[in-house]
Amino acid sequence: FPQCDNAKGLKAFYDAIKYGPNHLMVFGGVCATVTSIIAESLKGWNLVQLSFAATTPELADKKKYPYFFRTVPSDNAVNPAILKLLKHYHWKRVGTLTQDVQRFSEVRNDLTGVLYGEDIEISDTESFSNDPCTSVKKLKGNDVRIILGQFDEEMAVKVFCCAYDEEMYGSKYQWIIPGWYENLWWESWINSSQCLSKNLLAAMEGYIGVDFEPLSSKTNKTISGRTPQQYEKEYNAKRGDGQSSKFHGYAYDGIWVIARTLQRAMNYLNSTNKHQKIEDFNYTNHKLGKIFLNAMNETRFFGVTGEVVFRNGERMGTIKFTQFQEQKEVKVGEYNAVDDKLVIINNSIRFQGLEPPKDKTIIQEELRKISLPLYSILSALTILGMIMASAFLFFNIKNRNQKLIKMSSPYMNNLIILGGMLSYASIFLFGLDGSFVSEKTFETLCTVRTWILTVGYTTAFGAMFAKTWRVHAIFKNVKMKKKIIKDQKLLGIVGGMLLIDLCILICWQVVDPLRRTVEKYNMEPDPAGRDISIRPILEHCENTHMTIWLGIVYAYKGLLMLFGCFLAWETRNVSIPALNDSKYIGMSVYNVGIMCIIGAAVSFLTRDQPNVQFCIVALVIIFCSTITLCLVFVPKLITLRTNPDAATQNRRFQFTQNQKKEDSKTSTSVTSVNQASTSRLEGLQSENHRLRMKITELDKDLEEVTMQLQDTPEKTTYIKQNHYQDLNDILSIRNFTDGKDGEKAILKNHLDQNPPAQWGSDPSRTSKDPIEDINSPEHIQRRLSLQLPILHHAYLPSIGGVDASCASPCVSPSASPRHRHVPPSFRVMVSGL
């Protein structure tokens, strides 16, 4: 039909019917539009049409075109071949890109029906009119790797230019497009695009073209007695320099189809009705028309284009696969529709990767786990820390009776070590993830490690702060100086802190327990270069209100640290090194606080890097626990080995007039008080010694006067008057004791701890000092015999001495009722004398 003009084609057909002889069949029809019009009207003429070039899928509709046959496979014939190829490479997810032309749309629609129910997903269907770049971009956005294209050569150039711009080529993508393009088709359209030739060829590399096979590749003899190769050689020889058509083989087989159809019809007529011949056919002979139709439908033979078989008027031909390799198309396989078999020629398909592309981005979830070498190294450091803590524990227990260790509260030191070891132990649990334990066990570890770390922290710092509080209570609260704060009370304080921890942790566990959650991160390329993407996943211990619970725990621990800082500041001036840990507490709080803040911040920022996160958390715990234990025990160990007494003595005791004024502002130790009492006692004893000397001298004068009075009794009144001043000098001892009221508490405190020896028991009494013998029984007896009148009436009642009826000076003067009015201070002083 000239120029594919529908009007001219239809007119030529009617002229042939009207003016020509009776035609048995219609052979031909190249243009789809003209062929479809003619084929639709054949039923009325009872004519069978056989086309060798019309490939439009529309003609496959047997309801509309019941008398139409074709020796060339239709465009839809490639779809079963494509299905076979997809199955061969296990591609189960594809996308389509179609030019908005009916021919291509019909092929796509048929392909959708073929793939439906074959467990192959069409993830995206895109179409375009002139600019395919938007559709190409959408395909990439939907992660389409296998693209089935239906477009002509002009649009193909634009499509591959867009594919190059979107990087949709190479080892990760596979394009499958029509294979009926002319040889070097891209050269005709490269100028119409804005793409460089090398870029276009790079994007085109590896595409697969699908088209029917022009000539069979088999070497079998055909119905004509020639092999397909012999036929092609003869055809080319007769063609000469004329243009070749890829349909020439189908036209050649079409002639043989008509011949075999007529022969089959003649045989049928001969066998059934000897009186009717094919020459009797006319356009109204419906019976003969049906005979021709059935005969053609049953025709089967091997032609130059392969096995010629019709199924519902459609040729079951051979589909070839070509691949664009190094700027030329190479046949890589073929599909036989009759046998439904795909053959890949010697694995000739070249994929640009090590393996065929994946039909989608293979997402391989990979648990980011803690490196075993890293876990081993940190575990080794943790074990060393626990060995160090055990050594400190051994040191503390072994030397618990040493004055230095005893003053530093060994039981509290043991709790500090226990808390450090619990903190160390939590590191082992923090390093256990899904690569070591099951999901259920991991969820249990979430709770256990939180409890252990929290309790360990509180135990260590609670014990440290508790013993510091005892020092603060002794040296800052005057009312508690005479009270004893035992270790049981400190244990109760630590227990109270732990009780608060337990309340928080129990409420946390009951109300909103920690659960195992999996966080998925953005995909990453495979480090090994495989065509897969790695989606890292990471296990976390979280709950619904994680921020609130952490805030409560941090707030409590922060208050505990502030309390420790307060105690360290208040006890900073305690001058007993064994009691003053304020410097070390401050250093511990500073280091722990800074490290915890830095560690928490960095740990939060490295949530997606478990190795870094675990390393930071473990190092922070190891550093904080080690520095705390070392600050507490290393100075004690060094001091105990070098100068153990210096740590238990007051390094800067000074007793000045300003000491009382500064007592409310500065702290003093119990030992300082005892030493001050000892110093004051020595001063009092010196003063007492002086007074006793004076008493001895006056006693001798009194003895002489008394002996004189024995000779002159009438002078007694004179003696009383003239020597009364001397007696007052003796009685002035009262002034000494009265002036020391402010120091009674200090003296009594010392005397309570060091009670005075009884008369006659002091070793110093063996000295020949006359003072030391004035209270001997002989002297007392002699004095009493000489001084009794005066002592009875004047001296002894005033100073609280012995009663006249008492035979021994050892009897307390308070035993006589008549002397109970004497102030206690005199009795104390006289007893000392």
Side-chain angles (χ1 to χ4, degrees):
F1 304 113
Q3 303 176 0
C4 292
D5 189 300
N6 294 344
K8 292 181 178 181
L10 190 58
K11 182 179 184 302
F13 173 71
Y14 284 127
D15 288 343
I17 294 296
K18 182 176 181 181
Y19 300 109
N22 288 339
H23 300 283
L24 300 178
M25 294 179 185
V26 177
F27 181 67
V30 177
C31 295
T33 55
V34 177
T35 302
S36 60
I37 294 175
I38 301 299
E40 190 174 2
S41 63
L42 291 177
K43 185 178 180 181
W45 305 96
N46 295 314
L47 284 174
V48 176
Q49 182 180 5
L50 179 64
S51 174
F52 58 88
T55 60
T56 177
E58 181 185 5
L59 297 173
D61 185 0
K62 289 303 167 184
K63 292 182 179 180
K64 190 175 183 180
Y65 311 103
Y67 284 80
F68 180 79
F69 288 82
R70 50 186 165 190
T71 56
V72 61
S74 72
D75 293 336
N76 286 343
V78 300
N79 291 335
I82 292 175
L83 173 63
K84 205 69 175 180
L85 182 68
L86 296 178
K87 288 184 175 181
H88 179 78
Y89 289 107
H90 307 288
W91 291 328
K92 296 184 178 181
R93 185 174 182 271
V94 300
T96 62
L97 181 63
T98 309
Q99 183 179 354
D100 282 336
V101 176
Q102 182 180 2
R103 175 185 179 183
F104 302 123
S105 299
E106 289 176 352
V107 176
R108 180 198 60 194
N109 294 338
D110 182 74
L111 177 63
T112 302
V114 170
L115 299 181
Y116 182 78
E118 295 291 340
D119 196 24
I120 295 179
E121 173 193 0
I122 300 180
S123 59
D124 192 12
T125 300
E126 297 293 334
S127 60
F128 63 93
S129 296
N130 187 40
D131 184 9
C133 290
T134 302
S135 298
V136 171
K137 187 179 296 185
K138 288 182 180 179
L139 289 173
K140 182 178 181 180
N142 290 325
D143 191 34
V144 175
R145 298 288 198 90
I146 311 300
I147 304 101
L148 308 180
Q150 287 291 330
F151 34 75
D152 58 27
E153 296 97 325
E154 181 182 3
M155 290 296 109
V157 171
K158 295 182 179 180
V159 166
F160 283 111
C161 285
C162 296
Y164 180 85
D165 294 338
E166 297 294 332
E167 297 183 350
M168 289 184 66
Y169 64 95
S171 61
K172 295 183 178 180
Y173 295 91
Q174 183 60 61
W175 290 84
I176 301 176
I177 63 174
W180 44 260
Y181 300 160
E182 297 292 336
N183 190 28
L184 303 177
W185 55 268
W186 63 89
E187 295 181 352
S188 302
W189 305 100
I190 185 64
N191 296 328
S192 63
S193 66
Q194 298 179 354
C195 187
L196 296 178
S197 178
K198 63 177 183 178
N199 296 341
L200 176 63
L201 293 174
M204 291 168 52
E205 183 68 24
Y207 79 75
I208 295 176
V210 186
D211 193 18
F212 56 84
E213 183 74 270
L215 292 175
S216 175
S217 59
K218 296 181 179 180
T219 58
N220 300 341
K221 286 187 177 183
T222 65
I223 191 173
S224 65
R226 304 181 182 90
T227 62
Q229 293 76 22
Q230 291 173 342
Y231 162 79
E232 182 178 20
K233 183 178 180 181
E234 186 177 351
Y235 169 78
N236 290 332
K238 292 182 177 182
R239 177 175 60 89
D241 296 332
Q243 186 177 3
S244 174
S245 171
K246 66 177 182 178
F247 297 106
H248 65 85
Y250 293 98
Y252 181 80
D253 284 341
I255 300 298
W256 280 102
V257 168
I258 294 175
R260 293 298 301 268
T261 300
L262 294 177
Q263 183 181 17
R264 195 177 192 86
M266 292 171 60
N267 293 335
Y268 177 78
L269 291 176
N270 292 334
S271 63
T272 57
N273 191 346
K274 296 182 180 180
H275 301 288
Q276 192 171 15
K277 299 179 182 180
I278 60 173
E279 291 85 351
D280 299 334
F281 173 77
N282 56 57
Y283 302 129
T284 60
N285 193 335
H286 180 70
K287 185 177 180 180
L288 277 178
K290 277 291 185 180
I291 293 175
F292 293 154
L293 180 65
N294 294 333
M296 184 173 289
N297 199 36
E298 295 174 359
T299 300
R300 180 170 185 174
F301 62 89
F302 182 75
V304 294
T305 58
E307 193 76 18
V308 178
V309 180
F310 295 102
R311 185 175 299 170
N312 293 325
E314 293 295 308
R315 166 73 185 272
M316 304 299 294
T318 302
I319 304 300
K320 70 172 181 178
F321 293 95
T322 59
Q323 187 178 36
F324 189 76
Q325 300 176 2
E326 298 178 356
Q327 303 185 22
K328 62 180 180 179
E329 292 188 347
V330 178
K331 182 179 178 180
V332 295
E334 64 180 20
Y335 168 74
N336 190 333
V338 177
D339 299 331
D340 191 24
K341 183 178 180 181
L342 174 67
V343 177
I344 301 299
I345 303 175
N346 297 327
N347 296 320
S348 55
I349 294 184
R350 297 181 185 177
F351 295 107
Q352 298 185 52
L354 299 176
E355 57 184 358
K358 305 297 181 181
D359 56 5
K360 61 180 177 180
T361 300
I362 302 299
I363 301 175
Q364 181 176 330
E365 292 187 347
E366 184 177 276
L367 177 65
R368 284 188 171 176
K369 54 188 179 181
I370 295 173
S371 171
L372 183 59
L374 176 64
Y375 181 75
S376 301
I377 293 172
L378 293 176
S379 297
L381 292 177
T382 303
I383 292 174
L384 291 178
M386 298 183 76
I387 293 174
M388 180 196 68
S390 301
F392 287 150
L393 181 63
F394 174 77
F395 165 79
N396 192 64
I397 294 176
K398 180 180 179 182
N399 299 283
R400 63 185 181 277
N401 293 323
Q402 293 285 343
K403 190 173 183 181
L404 172 64
I405 304 300
K406 198 169 186 179
M407 292 181 68
S408 66
S409 303
Y411 291 110
M412 294 296 102
N413 291 342
N414 290 342
L415 286 182
I416 294 174
I417 296 173
L418 176 61
M421 296 188 75
L422 288 175
S423 299
Y424 280 130
S426 67
I427 296 176
F428 297 111
L429 303 182
F430 275 105
L432 297 177
D433 54 16
S435 61
F436 297 100
V437 298
S438 62
E439 294 182 4
K440 186 176 181 180
T441 305
F442 180 82
E443 194 165 288
T444 303
L445 290 177
C446 289
T447 303
V448 174
R449 69 190 189 186
T450 303
W451 282 56
I452 289 179
L453 183 59
T454 303
V455 172
Y457 178 92
T458 303
T459 301
F461 283 94
M464 184 188 299
F465 298 156
K467 72 174 188 175
T468 308
W469 170 82
R470 175 162 63 183
V471 176
H472 172 267
I474 291 174
F475 290 99
K476 281 299 180 181
N477 192 346
V478 178
K479 295 181 180 180
M480 295 185 65
K481 280 188 176 181
K482 295 182 181 180
K483 295 183 180 180
I484 299 175
I485 302 176
K486 296 184 178 181
D487 287 341
Q488 288 80 356
K489 188 169 185 178
L490 301 185
L491 291 174
I493 293 174
V494 177
M497 295 179 182
L498 291 175
L499 184 61
I500 296 175
D501 266 336
L502 292 178
C503 291
I504 295 174
L505 292 173
I506 291 174
C507 293
W508 189 350
Q509 182 65 22
V510 173
V511 177
D512 192 12
L514 289 170
R515 302 291 185 188
R516 175 186 178 272
T517 60
V518 176
E519 184 177 1
K520 296 182 179 181
Y521 294 90
N522 295 330
M523 292 184 294
E524 300 176 353
D526 179 43
R530 296 175 298 173
D531 186 19
I532 62 175
S533 293
I534 304 298
R535 184 186 294 279
I537 62 173
L538 190 60
E539 294 174 313
H540 294 296
C541 293
E542 293 181 345
N543 53 13
T544 306
H545 305 289
M546 190 72 173
T547 305
I548 296 176
W549 293 110
L550 288 179
I552 294 174
V553 173
Y554 290 159
Y556 171 55
K557 302 302 178 185
L559 292 176
L560 185 63
M561 299 292 279
L562 291 177
F563 177 65
C565 293
F566 168 75
L567 293 177
W569 176 261
E570 287 292 307
T571 59
R572 68 190 185 280
N573 292 322
V574 174
S575 57
I576 310 299
L579 299 175
N580 189 356
D581 288 335
S582 61
K583 179 174 68 173
Y584 304 124
I585 292 175
M587 293 173 65
S588 296
V589 171
Y590 174 79
N591 285 290
V592 171
I594 294 298
M595 291 301 297
C596 287
I597 293 174
I598 296 176
V602 177
S603 176
F604 177 79
L605 295 175
T606 57
R607 280 171 54 90
D608 58 339
Q609 303 178 42
N611 285 321
V612 178
Q613 187 181 46
F614 171 64
C615 184
I616 291 173
V617 171
L619 290 178
V620 167
I621 295 175
I622 291 173
F623 177 82
C624 293
S625 301
T626 303
I627 199 69
T628 300
L629 292 176
C630 289
L631 287 173
V632 172
F633 291 99
V634 171
K636 293 178 175 56
L637 190 148
I638 295 174
T639 304
L640 190 63
R641 298 301 181 193
T642 56
N643 190 9
D645 295 330
T648 60
Q649 295 176 356
N650 192 335
R651 295 174 298 187
R652 53 183 183 86
F653 173 76
Q654 294 179 353
F655 192 83
T656 62
Q657 294 295 329
N658 296 328
Q659 185 68 29
K660 294 181 181 180
K661 296 181 181 179
E662 296 177 358
D663 281 346
S664 60
K665 298 180 180 179
T666 61
S667 302
T668 56
S669 64
V670 175
T671 305
S672 301
V673 174
N674 292 338
Q675 292 182 356
S677 300
T678 302
S679 177
R680 179 55 58 193
L681 179 61
E682 291 175 355
L684 294 175
Q685 287 177 346
S686 177
E687 184 71 15
N688 192 11
H689 179 77
R690 186 184 63 79
L691 292 175
R692 287 169 63 187
M693 292 287 292
K694 187 174 182 178
I695 290 173
T696 302
E697 295 174 357
L698 294 175
D699 190 36
K700 290 181 179 180
D701 294 341
L702 183 61
E703 185 176 352
E704 293 175 359
V705 173
T706 302
M707 293 180 68
Q708 294 176 7
L709 288 177
Q710 288 178 350
D711 298 333
T712 319
E714 62 275 8
K715 295 182 181 179
T716 303
T717 303
Y718 174 79
I719 294 299
K720 290 180 180 178
Q721 294 175 353
N722 290 277
H723 293 279
Y724 193 78
Q725 183 64 36
D726 294 335
L727 293 174
N728 285 338
D729 291 339
I730 297 174
L731 296 176
S732 66
I733 299 172
R734 179 176 184 177
N735 296 332
F736 171 77
T737 58
D738 288 342
K740 305 302 179 181
D741 287 341
E743 299 167 358
K744 284 181 182 180
I746 298 176
L747 181 59
K748 188 175 185 302
N749 187 27
H750 179 75
L751 293 177
D752 289 342
Q753 301 179 16
N754 303 284
Q758 300 295 328
W759 286 354
S761 62
D762 193 344
S764 65
R765 298 298 184 187
T766 59
S767 174
K768 294 184 179 182
D769 194 331
I771 298 176
E772 296 175 355
D773 296 331
I774 64 175
N775 288 327
S776 65
E778 293 81 2
H779 282 72
I780 293 174
Q781 186 67 27
R782 184 161 58 87
R783 285 199 303 271
L784 289 176
S785 64
L786 296 175
Q787 304 171 8
L788 186 59
I790 297 175
L791 294 175
H792 181 70
H793 295 287
Y795 177 60
L796 290 177
S798 300
I799 66 174
V802 298
D803 196 281
S805 62
C806 183
S808 173
C810 298
V811 179
S812 174
S814 63
S816 176
R818 59 187 290 189
H819 299 139
R820 290 177 181 172
H821 67 281
V822 180
S825 60
F826 293 105
R827 291 197 297 273
V828 173
M829 204 64 200
V830 171
S831 297
L833 295 172

